[in-house]
Amino acid sequence: MQDVNQYLIKMSDGSIALKEHVKESLLPYAGSIKTVTRMLATKLFTLSERVSGNCKGIRGQVQLDFARLELLKSTVFEVCGVSYAEQDKLWKNITAAVDAV
């Protein structure tokens, strides 16, 4: 079973952050939001979590961990250079890509 904690840093305030080498590994794919999203989702969520859950917790599935979803969201926007004005619109595409993984 995959240990997603190997990619995370627990901060002193209880929040989580992504290890820098993981973010750097996504940079070559920055031109494709879906690719970056899918690659990161496989690191932040186990296969079991992805099979039994989704971003919104609908269609009889549980919601994926909110803190890791927020980390995924902010990382994808940062790596792909998404402006603040575009973020809400693109979040729908990101959730669809996560749910498809």
Side-chain angles (χ1 to χ4, degrees), residues 2 41-42 45-53 61 64 98 101:
Q2 174 189 350
T42 61
F45 302 99
T46 65
L47 177 59
S48 174
E49 288 173 316
R50 294 190 319 268
V51 168
S52 65
Q61 295 185 312
L64 294 171
V98 171
V101 174

Side-chain angles (χ1 to χ4, degrees), residues 11-24:
M11 309 303 281
S12 59
D13 65 0
S15 65
I16 56 173
L18 194 62
K19 290 187 177 178
E20 195 60 35
H21 76 275
V22 177
K23 194 183 299 183
E24 289 171 3

Side-chain angles (χ1 to χ4, degrees), residues 27-44:
L27 291 175
Y29 308 96
S32 172
I33 290 175
K34 285 186 179 183
T35 300
V36 171
T37 299
R38 289 178 179 154
M39 291 175 71
L40 190 53
T42 61
K43 293 184 180 347
L44 294 179

Side-chain angles (χ1 to χ4, degrees), residues 2-9 17-19 21-22 43:
Q2 174 189 350
D3 178 18
V4 298
N5 291 318
Q6 68 181 318
Y7 304 112
L8 302 173
I9 301 168
L18 194 62
K19 290 187 177 178
H21 76 275
V22 177
K43 293 184 180 347

